[in-house]
Amino acid sequence: MSTTSLLWSVQPPGGKLSYLFGTMHIKDDRVYQFCDALYPLILQSDVYVGEMNLDSMLSPEVGPRYEMKSFFRPNVYSKLRKQIVKSFKVDVDRYAHLHPLMIMSAVSHTILDNDHAVSLDEHLWNFAAERDITVQGLESIGEQMALMHSIDPQPLYVQLKNISARPEMIRRFTDSALHCYLHGEIHKLYKLTKSSMHQLRKRIIYQRNKVMAERIAGFDPTLSYFITAGAGHLSGPSGIISSLRKAAYTVKAVPFERALDDTLVLVR
């Protein structure tokens, strides 16, 4: 995919024009720079669609209880804990009973700035909901939680041990992902995300891409939608953009450019 953009116009045969935007689940102010350009598109849409339905959030405490401590020898766990506290100011004791994906998320979020109370995707959802625009999700929180709990935690514990020993690994990954995002380089972001998923890429990326694209293709063509999904799901052979084109959608990049006052505007 040669064109780089986080925002795409998507139109089914004979249907209304809608928009697809790639989000990131972070609170860093740098990702909020797109909001002012997106608000008018959200306001003119009939339905706002998030990656998941944020009106039905579940506590991370819901579900199986995990025993991270029992996976490691006591001295190994103690060393891992101290290293992660030192590098990321995160005490894994607080999260040891949760799935390790939740621990990794807590660690990675400390690398970026928490400039806002909520992440970008939640902010856009709230913006639509507060203006009485119909909101819905491409996935339910139940589906996402079921997927997480179906993933074997043991290889992820090993990955956490590697992160504790080499914290620069996750720092480099996070910095690279944010750089790709801010420059709209969705194919580079897709490849970066894919490489980080290892054996999980089929379940976390490819299969979810298929489901999300099928659900978009099933939307009422007489309504206009503003659709958001994680930016790593947009590109690639199984990405949402390619899948919608295979479903006869007209899909075009809508790039951003900087105005004289340094704000971002859409090029349409």
Side-chain angles (χ1 to χ4, degrees):
M1 185 175 300
S2 59
T3 304
T4 58
S5 183
L6 295 173
L7 181 67
W8 297 73
S9 64
V10 295
Q11 188 168 18
K16 280 192 172 183
L17 185 72
S18 294
Y19 289 92
L20 170 67
F21 178 70
T23 59
M24 283 194 90
H25 187 65
I26 60 177
K27 302 175 183 178
D28 193 297
D29 191 56
R30 287 169 287 183
V31 301
Y32 267 68
Q33 65 180 297
F34 303 101
C35 291
D36 285 341
L38 298 175
Y39 293 151
L41 300 182
I42 296 173
L43 291 173
Q44 72 186 32
S45 299
D46 298 309
V47 183
Y48 178 92
V49 183
E51 180 175 302
M52 71 174 178
N53 189 332
L54 296 180
D55 282 345
S56 57
M57 292 294 289
L58 297 174
S59 166
E61 303 290 339
V62 174
R65 184 177 180 86
Y66 295 86
E67 298 295 338
M68 179 177 172
K69 290 183 181 179
S70 67
F71 180 78
F72 297 102
R73 297 191 306 273
N75 63 316
V76 174
Y77 178 81
S78 178
K79 182 179 179 181
L80 177 155
R81 180 189 177 196
K82 289 177 182 177
Q83 288 173 322
I84 290 183
V85 167
K86 179 181 178 181
S87 298
F88 304 104
K89 305 296 188 293
V90 172
D91 187 350
V92 294
D93 262 0
R94 292 180 54 199
Y95 305 97
H97 62 291
L98 300 177
H99 193 280
L101 281 177
M102 301 294 291
I103 305 174
M104 289 181 174
S105 176
V107 167
S108 64
H109 276 75
T110 66
I111 299 170
L112 299 168
D113 294 332
N114 287 305
D115 301 305
H116 294 268
V118 297
S119 58
L120 173 63
D121 51 350
E122 188 173 352
H123 170 75
L124 295 176
W125 174 282
N126 291 341
F127 176 85
E130 289 165 2
R131 286 153 183 81
D132 295 324
I133 297 171
T134 300
V135 292
Q136 65 186 62
L138 286 173
E139 298 177 314
S140 69
I141 184 62
E143 288 174 321
Q144 290 201 354
M145 294 290 280
L147 172 61
M148 180 180 70
H149 291 305
S150 73
I151 294 171
D152 183 0
Q154 295 192 12
L156 299 177
Y157 288 145
V158 174
Q159 196 171 339
L160 273 168
K161 184 175 181 294
N162 293 336
I163 289 170
S164 72
R166 296 182 58 198
E168 72 278 2
M169 291 169 47
I170 193 168
R171 293 187 191 281
R172 283 201 300 266
F173 172 83
T174 303
D175 288 343
S176 296
L178 182 59
H179 179 273
C180 290
Y181 185 80
L182 295 176
H183 290 82
E185 296 173 340
I186 58 171
H187 195 65
K188 286 184 180 179
L189 184 59
Y190 155 72
K191 291 196 292 184
L192 188 66
T193 304
K194 181 179 71 169
S195 67
S196 73
M197 291 296 174
H198 305 292
Q199 75 277 10
L200 297 176
R201 63 184 61 162
K202 181 177 180 180
R203 295 166 66 190
I204 291 183
I205 302 176
Y206 305 152
Q207 291 179 354
R208 290 177 63 215
N209 287 352
K210 181 176 184 292
V211 170
M212 287 192 281
E214 287 176 348
R215 289 176 179 173
I216 293 171
F219 289 166
D220 184 345
T222 67
L223 299 178
S224 62
Y225 296 80
F226 188 92
I227 306 160
T228 64
H233 292 286
L234 300 190
S235 191
S238 69
I240 294 174
I241 291 170
S242 292
S243 297
L244 290 179
R245 283 175 171 160
K246 291 172 185 175
Y249 271 64
T250 300
V251 184
K252 297 179 181 179
V254 184
F256 295 88
E257 71 174 10
R258 292 204 173 274
L260 292 176
D261 62 357
D262 205 38
T263 59
L264 289 177
V265 295
L266 300 178
V267 182
R268 289 189 283 174

